[in-house]
Amino acid sequence: RDGLTAMGPLDAVTLTNWFPATTECVLRSGYAKWATGLSGQVETLMAYSGGATDKLFAIASGSVYEVTSQGAVGAAVLTGLNNSRWQYCNIATGAGTFLSMANGVDTPQVYNGSTWTNAVITGVTSTNLNSPILYAERQFFIEKNTLKTWYLPVDSIGGAAQPVDVTSLATKGGYIVAHGTWTIDAGQGVNDHYVIMTSKGQVIVYQGSDPASPTTWSMVGVWDIGAPVGARSLYKYAGDMLIVCQDGVIPMSAALQSSRVNPKVAITDKIQYAISEAVTDYGSNYGWQLLYVPTINQLWLNVPIQEGTNQVQYVMNTITGAWCTYSGWNANCWEIFNDDPYFGGNGFVGKAWTLDYQDNAGNIQANTLQAFNYYGSRGVKKYFTRARPSIFTNGQPAIFVGMNVDFDIQDTTAALSYSPQTYGVWGTSKWDVGLWGSDSTITNNWQGITGIGYCGAIQMKSASGGIQIEWASTDVVYQSGWAGI
């Protein structure tokens, strides 16, 4: 957001694979391949919740696979689909608990815990329905490329669908991209609102339980914000709803008040330039998605640069609001299953944040360029000579420390290499032969740096595998010249 000359000393120009925790920066954890043997890109993950039964499904190359257990997948449980980009919801009725999914091309499908069947929906061409959600005990669907949504009877997985037509309200035209449930306190208690988002950035909000009853259904209002990004642009988050749009990631409660007038209401305000650039360059790519991982206090925004080969995540610390970037997780889609984050990749499903600090048994490369700092003497030229990062680690990672001066943000260093140590296994390795691991210890060795300028920014890189790293601080030694010299 800020210019290089206006950034605070606790900011960073680049912070890749370092998570800004509350007391230090920590190396992000790794991932492991959870399910293998899938053909093509995994573009949808779905978690079925049926009481005591939880299952995870992946969709790739038009087939659905169960990936609840780790290992190679078995035969597909559903085949012959026209694409793998589906949306879903879970719904409980008197007949059981169901997973309902639709993609706007195929007949919507329903899973009851053991069997997949076609959803029987009348009153509308069911193959045009997409994005099922649950609102007021009813399933709502979007009819693709229109300004209509459709809803089913209460507690139903099929039946006669009825429309909610917003053509007269969507004055900018377009079509509906996403819809969702927004929970707010309107003064008389907590209420659910039904939110519709159009491709032109218009947000239409209703309240009530039965769209067919004028006494229990009414429009709250219509607002204009930035155009949404992707079919998964609405995300329920705590007591609010987040919108991924051209203006960044914005809480619904703030977006409907002043997002276009005051862009600082976006939770991505700190990285607004990065968000704007990513939306401009990759906004039409499939894979934009938010994921909240409460066990580690992180909110992830998946940014699909190139499907299956180059995706990054913009990551927010939900306690402090600080942001960083993760790379190396080439994720098309995300899902939380049994409190753990999973992603769909090229021919596999990955389990992220595995706490082994390796990416599928490979090294993790981390990089940062801190904000430029005048070190208390603006206008005085400095000769930077040494730097000492204070790091807690349980191994010996490869660490490089350098100094960029006078707002030069180029990375002129080579990638680091690292060969992991093989440690002994208790009960297997021999005494005085096996190498035993250790707890985290402080490492604060001085490294020589070179740079002459008025201001400087520490650049630090690390390469490691199977090693925990916590970065607390960095000391810098420099010599000062006369002002203007």
Side-chain angles (χ1 to χ4, degrees), residues 46-402:
M46 305 181 298
Y48 168 75
S49 299
T53 303
D54 294 323
K55 295 183 179 181
L56 184 63
F57 295 97
I59 308 180
S61 298
S63 296
V64 179
Y65 297 87
E66 183 176 347
V67 293
T68 305
S69 301
Q70 187 174 13
V73 298
V77 297
L78 188 63
T79 60
L81 306 177
N82 285 295
N83 70 41
S84 302
R85 300 177 179 182
W86 292 69
Q87 313 296 326
Y88 83 99
C89 71
N90 283 284
I91 177 173
T93 73
T97 303
F98 302 89
L99 183 154
S100 173
M101 70 181 203
N103 67 349
V105 179
D106 295 283
T107 300
Q109 299 291 311
V110 174
Y111 177 70
N112 65 0
S114 60
T115 306
W116 294 87
T117 57
N118 291 339
V120 180
I121 300 174
T122 61
V124 62
T125 302
S126 63
T127 54
N128 289 335
L129 299 180
N130 196 5
S131 301
I133 68 164
L134 192 63
Y135 173 76
E137 300 180 338
R138 302 173 185 268
Q139 275 198 89
F140 282 69
F141 297 83
I142 294 172
E143 183 179 359
K144 69 175 182 180
N145 299 327
T146 72
L147 288 166
K148 290 182 181 180
T149 65
W150 295 79
Y151 63 94
L152 299 180
V154 172
D155 292 336
S156 298
I157 58 173
Q162 301 295 327
V164 176
D165 192 342
V166 298
T167 303
S168 61
L169 300 175
T171 55
K172 293 184 176 180
Y175 54 90
I176 296 174
V177 172
H179 61 162
T181 302
W182 177 34
T183 303
I184 64 172
D185 186 343
Q188 294 82 31
V190 175
N191 294 298
D192 281 344
H193 288 56
Y194 177 53
V195 177
I196 294 173
M197 184 88 176
T198 75
S199 60
K200 299 297 185 180
Q202 290 191 289
V203 179
I204 302 166
V205 180
Y206 288 94
Q207 65 179 352
S209 58
D210 184 1
S213 172
T215 60
T216 62
W217 184 262
S218 61
M219 186 191 68
V220 176
V222 180
W223 289 265
D224 289 351
I225 62 172
V229 181
R232 296 168 180 166
S233 50
L234 296 182
Y235 186 75
K236 201 169 182 63
Y237 175 67
D240 211 330
M241 175 176 284
L242 299 179
I243 308 171
V244 184
C245 65
Q246 292 175 336
D247 297 330
V249 179
I250 304 174
M252 180 73 72
S253 56
L256 302 191
Q257 296 179 33
S258 60
S259 67
R260 306 233 86 176
V261 176
N262 178 18
K264 290 186 179 296
V265 301
I267 65 172
T268 50
D269 171 57
K270 193 75 172 179
I271 58 168
Q272 189 56 45
Y273 179 77
I275 286 286
S276 298
E277 188 175 41
V279 169
T280 299
D281 293 342
Y282 317 118
S284 61
N285 293 352
Y286 175 79
W288 287 86
Q289 183 182 355
L290 283 166
L291 186 78
Y292 174 44
V293 191
T295 54
I296 53 176
N297 300 310
Q298 296 184 25
L299 179 70
W300 300 348
L301 173 63
N302 202 58
V303 180
I305 298 173
Q306 185 175 0
E307 185 176 43
T309 59
N310 188 11
Q311 285 103 325
V312 299
Q313 294 76 42
Y314 293 166
V315 179
M316 185 185 78
N317 183 324
T318 57
I319 297 175
T320 65
W323 285 86
C324 67
T325 303
Y326 291 166
S327 66
W329 293 346
N330 294 322
N332 302 317
C333 55
W334 289 90
E335 186 56 85
I336 295 290
F337 180 65
N338 290 335
D339 295 328
D340 293 318
Y342 293 79
F343 67 88
N346 187 2
F348 71 95
V349 173
K351 181 180 180 180
W353 211 261
T354 52
L355 295 180
D356 60 358
Y357 301 96
Q358 296 183 87
D359 279 347
N360 193 37
N363 292 340
I364 298 176
Q365 302 277 346
N367 182 34
T368 186
L369 177 64
Q370 293 183 251
F372 286 87
N373 194 329
Y374 286 99
Y375 294 93
S377 53
R378 193 183 184 99
V380 176
K381 187 167 284 190
K382 305 166 186 69
Y383 172 37
F384 298 97
T385 58
R386 289 185 297 167
R388 181 179 64 181
S390 294
I391 290 174
F392 292 89
T393 180
N394 58 354
Q396 295 180 332
I399 299 288
F400 167 84
V401 180

